Amino acid sequence: MINLLLFPILLPFFFGIILLFFKENVVIQRTLTLVGLLVSLTASFFLVAKVKTDGIQALTLGSWPAPFGISMVSDMLSAMLVTTSILITLFVVIYSFTAIGVKRETYFYYPAILFMLTGINGAFTTGDIFNMFVFFEVLLMASYVLIVLGGEKRQLQESIKYILVNIISSALFVVAVAFLYSVVGTLNMADISVKLSEVGNTGIITVIAVLFLIVFGVKGAIFPLYFWLPGSYSAPPIPVLALFGALLTKVGIYAITRTYTLFFIHDVGFTHQLLMVISLLTIIAGCIGALAYFDLKQIIIYNIIIAVGVILFGISQMNEAGISGALFYLVHDMIIKGALFLLIGIIIAITGTSNLRKMGGLMKTHAPLGWIYLIAAFGLAGIPPLSGFVGKLLIVQGAFEAGNVFGSIVILGSSLIVLLSVIRIFVYAFWGEPVELPKSNTQSYKRMMFPAVALVVLSILYGVGTEWVLPYMTEATDVLLQPSIYIDAVLKE
């Protein structure tokens, strides 16, 4: 039963390999991808239930005990993130049936998605810091395929920047792991925590902590390391952008969260203060970008950067309200970003452009799309009772408890700018005089609406059902605030 925690990693990998043999057969590709994701989703739901009833699940591969074998660990945080990732991938895949085009589907599109999901779920589940590097590389290699798929000139230009940045970041990751290993002599994350507490507060550990923040900060797009993201994410087709925007930066955020709560807790006055300052700068940079552009994709992409700042600000407070708010907001952001990218994909498909200035009057021709978009926009900005509200409220509460009043003001101010940026899309695209639209297929519009609406409904349920979700968040928070729970589960396994 314990091997349940491997299913969400092995199943997408297994189905991805099978799909490689059916490159030209789109029907088989679609069917097997759906089956693979549904089976993985079922396994992940069972895993969440198992963690809730029996506590943290740990499995050490091979016949070596922890910390010598490679540990896979599923606590409530990783189980929830794995489940959310599979759920979003499922809806993006359904959307892709209409939106991506058959030509791309025959060029390993679905295997690449499944391999990327394997890497993402592996990074969320591993209990070994070098293994995290390995899973990062798996998801990055798959993302390299997705970002160039179709071979348009802009995609190829942006992919070079994306690949270069990630190669440098991966090299730094290996250096950081090597430094850490030279100090503690272990790669098991629970064991690293124990060994670091014995070493005590030394300058070299603080240097390593900052080095890891840079490595994961590139992946998670924190200030000033987010420079590559707006261009790289806007180049590929919308379904790929939705996957990248909803999932990839979250792996970087998870890695910072895990390392900064499990083992870099010896010099909180410096490391977490640094994290807080960077997160606030990230929010401000994202706000400027979200207001500066008249391009649909860029506005929502800069909102990714704002959310990264908001989540990491909550983590940096190192108190219950701040961290549980950050975790709640993390899952909310994955769902709502997925929904918004799918919705703007529909707007772009209908109007034939992503330039706001060339749109108008869609409310008269596509009213349901307008109302669904408006609900998603309010959810993103945190209007109660939608899902963005609860997370931000808890983060602000955590900031007040920690005495960071200025940070609370920045978070609240950013909510207004987020609202302004997404309402601007609504005003330009849906209000005003209708512009002449290119001929589009009504059936394909309806098929694309289904997964987008499903994600919006999911985000509404997540907000309305806060009371039901909070016990899971509290359990995830307890593990982050009390590393001994995690350490005991892994080392005494």
Side-chain angles (χ1 to χ4, degrees):
M1 189 67 175
I2 199 165
N3 292 352
L4 257 179
L5 68 90
L6 292 180
F7 282 6
I9 304 165
L10 295 178
L11 285 168
F13 182 67
F14 172 70
F15 277 91
I17 289 172
I18 293 175
L19 287 180
L20 294 176
F21 297 102
F22 298 99
K23 178 175 175 287
E24 299 297 326
N25 193 323
V26 173
V27 177
I28 291 180
Q29 292 259 342
R30 291 177 177 182
T31 309
L32 283 179
T33 306
L34 270 185
V35 170
L37 288 170
L38 286 169
V39 175
S40 304
L41 186 62
T42 308
S44 71
F45 278 130
F46 276 113
L47 178 59
V48 170
K50 178 82 175 160
V51 172
K52 187 81 181 102
T53 51
D54 298 349
I56 296 173
Q57 302 297 297
L59 174 71
T60 304
L61 304 176
S63 52
W64 296 92
F68 307 106
I70 293 174
S71 291
M72 303 300 284
V73 187
S74 193
D75 63 349
M76 188 52 77
L77 172 60
S78 67
M80 282 192 308
L81 291 179
V82 161
T83 306
T84 312
S85 300
I86 298 170
L87 202 55
I88 290 164
T89 307
L90 176 65
F91 287 120
V92 172
V93 161
I94 295 168
Y95 185 89
S96 299
F97 294 166
T98 312
I100 198 75
V102 174
K103 194 178 173 197
R104 280 191 172 99
E105 286 181 287
T106 56
Y107 275 92
F108 305 112
Y109 174 68
Y110 296 115
I113 287 180
L114 291 175
F115 290 141
M116 189 170 89
L117 187 63
T118 301
I120 290 168
N121 288 348
F124 286 148
T125 310
T126 184
D128 181 284
I129 194 74
F130 187 76
N131 229 27
M132 186 181 274
F133 166 76
V134 173
F135 281 119
F136 265 75
E137 292 309 296
V138 171
L139 74 89
L140 284 172
M141 280 189 279
S143 74
Y144 298 156
V145 174
L146 290 172
I147 203 169
V148 299
L149 205 63
E152 292 170 9
K153 187 181 176 186
R154 176 135 190 278
Q155 278 181 270
L156 296 172
Q157 283 174 338
E158 290 296 343
S159 67
I160 292 167
K161 181 168 70 180
Y162 176 76
I163 292 168
L164 270 176
V165 166
N166 278 298
I167 286 172
I168 293 165
S169 153
S170 296
L172 262 180
F173 197 165
V174 176
V175 170
V177 169
F179 270 139
L180 187 58
Y181 185 78
S182 70
V183 173
V184 291
T186 180
L187 294 170
N188 183 293
M189 280 153 68
D191 202 35
I192 290 170
S193 182
V194 174
K195 296 283 200 311
L196 281 178
S197 63
E198 291 166 1
V199 171
N201 183 6
T202 64
I204 186 67
I205 298 171
T206 306
V207 170
I208 294 168
V210 174
L211 197 53
F212 271 103
L213 183 59
I214 293 168
V215 169
F216 298 139
V218 172
K219 318 275 189 202
I222 62 171
F223 178 89
L225 306 170
Y226 69 87
F227 62 90
W228 59 271
L229 186 136
S232 298
Y233 276 22
S234 62
I238 287 290
V240 177
L241 166 57
L243 277 177
F244 283 16
L247 303 181
L248 286 197
T249 48
K250 308 308 181 288
V251 184
I253 292 173
Y254 167 80
I256 293 172
T257 302
R258 182 65 77 195
T259 53
Y260 269 62
T261 53
L262 183 60
F263 42 79
F264 293 131
I265 46 177
H266 58 285
D267 189 10
V268 174
F270 177 77
T271 51
H272 290 62
Q273 199 70 22
L274 176 68
L275 181 60
M276 185 176 77
V277 171
I278 288 173
S279 64
L280 291 175
L281 290 171
T282 306
I283 294 169
I284 293 164
C287 287
I288 293 167
L291 292 180
Y293 284 91
F294 275 84
D295 182 275
L296 276 179
K297 291 182 185 177
Q298 294 289 5
I299 292 169
I300 308 295
I301 285 169
Y302 273 99
N303 271 290
I304 296 174
I305 295 165
I306 297 171
V308 168
V310 171
I311 296 160
L312 290 178
F313 178 79
I315 297 297
S316 69
Q317 303 313 300
M318 286 301 277
N319 56 29
E320 191 175 342
I323 290 182
S324 58
L327 301 186
F328 194 93
Y329 197 83
L330 174 59
V331 175
H332 143 80
D333 194 64
M334 291 167 81
I335 298 168
I336 204 73
K337 285 294 191 306
L340 276 167
F341 280 121
L342 298 190
L343 287 167
I344 64 163
I346 298 169
I347 297 171
I348 293 167
I350 291 167
T351 58
T353 178
S354 63
N355 187 339
L356 279 178
R357 292 192 177 101
K358 294 178 181 174
M359 296 178 190
L362 283 179
M363 211 61 180
K364 293 190 174 78
T365 53
H366 298 79
L369 175 62
W371 293 120
I372 292 292
Y373 172 80
L374 194 61
I375 293 167
F378 284 158
L380 182 70
I383 306 288
L386 299 169
S387 56
F389 173 71
V390 181
K392 271 194 182 161
L393 186 69
L394 284 167
I395 291 170
V396 169
Q397 183 192 330
F400 273 115
E401 285 175 11
N404 296 318
V405 180
F406 176 72
S408 306
I409 295 166
V410 172
I411 298 278
L412 294 171
S414 73
S415 296
L416 292 174
I417 290 177
V418 168
L419 184 61
L420 185 62
S421 70
V422 285
I423 289 297
R424 205 165 52 133
I425 294 176
F426 183 75
V427 170
Y428 272 85
F430 292 95
W431 284 3
E433 283 304 304
V435 295
E436 194 179 337
L437 300 175
K439 282 191 170 61
S440 59
N441 186 337
T442 316
Q443 279 305 106
S444 68
Y445 160 67
K446 285 177 181 168
R447 285 200 298 269
M448 286 159 79
M449 277 295 279
F450 163 69
V453 171
L455 278 175
V456 174
V457 170
L458 191 64
S459 80
I460 295 168
L461 292 174
Y462 183 64
V464 175
T466 302
E467 208 172 322
W468 185 77
V469 175
L470 272 179
Y472 293 85
M473 294 298 165
T474 307
E475 193 170 315
T477 306
D478 289 344
V479 174
L480 293 181
L481 282 174
Q482 300 167 46
S484 58
I485 301 173
Y486 184 94
I487 294 163
D488 292 348
V490 178
L491 298 183
K492 291 177 182 170
E493 179 254 326

